[in-house]
Amino acid sequence: LTGTFSLTATPTTQSVPQGANATFAISVASANNYNGTVGFAQSALPACATPFFPLIPAPGSGNLVLGTANCAPGTYAVNIVGKGGSTTASVPVTFVVQGPAAPANITSPSAGNALSGDSAFFIWDSGSQVTQYQLDLTATDDGTVCSPRYSGGSQSVAMSLARCCTRQRPLL
């Protein structure tokens, strides 16, 4: 019997920001004592993607990288073909190129509203492709500057203004 091999990809679908690389871990499993090296090519690779294919010994694994710098946002299906000797195997993968991220916007309190008291509660929309947020608030009173900061994944926060001035101040 001639040895053969099979391929698996992890993940099978990957979403990346526009211009980033999509990386798939490719595993080569040997059958019937196949122990050669597997080279890779692609089928139906969009012209916008740049492939970086490793040589992988069987059994073994390596990373297959697809550069997406020239790809428009969208979903792209690719059939990765491994060839070793006279044996071939394939595994389908999909990469999704996301459009540009949109920033989150504060929805409450509205711009220009004055803040008063020792704390303020802020709410913002999620933006596009945003999972972490940073909110910096700067207030002055008689030359004293206070800059409370929030960093995290929540879309709202109560910020203490106690270190800041106590009279009303505009939201900057």
Side-chain angles (χ1 to χ4, degrees):
L1 291 174
T2 301
T4 61
F5 61 88
S6 62
L7 304 175
T8 57
T10 306
T12 56
T13 300
Q14 185 175 41
S15 293
V16 295
Q18 193 171 20
N21 291 336
T23 302
F24 299 91
I26 305 295
S27 295
V28 179
S30 64
N32 299 324
N33 297 320
Y34 181 85
N35 63 357
T37 299
V38 178
F40 292 89
Q42 76 285 337
S43 173
L45 183 70
C48 67
T50 305
F52 302 96
F53 295 131
L55 291 174
I56 301 175
S61 62
N63 287 333
L64 179 144
V65 178
L66 296 174
T68 68
N70 298 316
C71 293
T75 301
Y76 301 89
V78 179
N79 194 37
I80 304 302
V81 179
K83 181 167 176 54
S86 61
T87 303
T88 61
S90 65
V91 61
V93 297
T94 301
F95 66 96
V96 179
V97 177
Q98 301 166 336
N105 297 296
I106 291 181
T107 58
S108 178
S110 58
N113 282 356
L115 302 176
S116 63
D118 288 344
S119 66
F121 189 74
F122 296 90
I123 301 172
W124 51 89
D125 63 22
S126 64
S128 171
Q129 302 174 39
V130 179
T131 58
Q132 291 292 308
Y133 307 92
Q134 180 171 312
L135 177 65
D136 293 307
L137 177 67
T138 301
T140 61
D141 183 22
D142 301 329
T144 303
V145 175
C146 127
S147 298
R149 169 177 279 181
Y150 165 77
S151 292
S154 176
Q155 286 181 243
S156 63
V157 64
M159 295 181 81
S160 172
L161 307 177
R163 294 184 353 223
C164 299
C165 50
T166 55
R167 68 179 193 198
Q168 287 194 339
R169 52 206 165 273
L171 177 64
L172 302 178

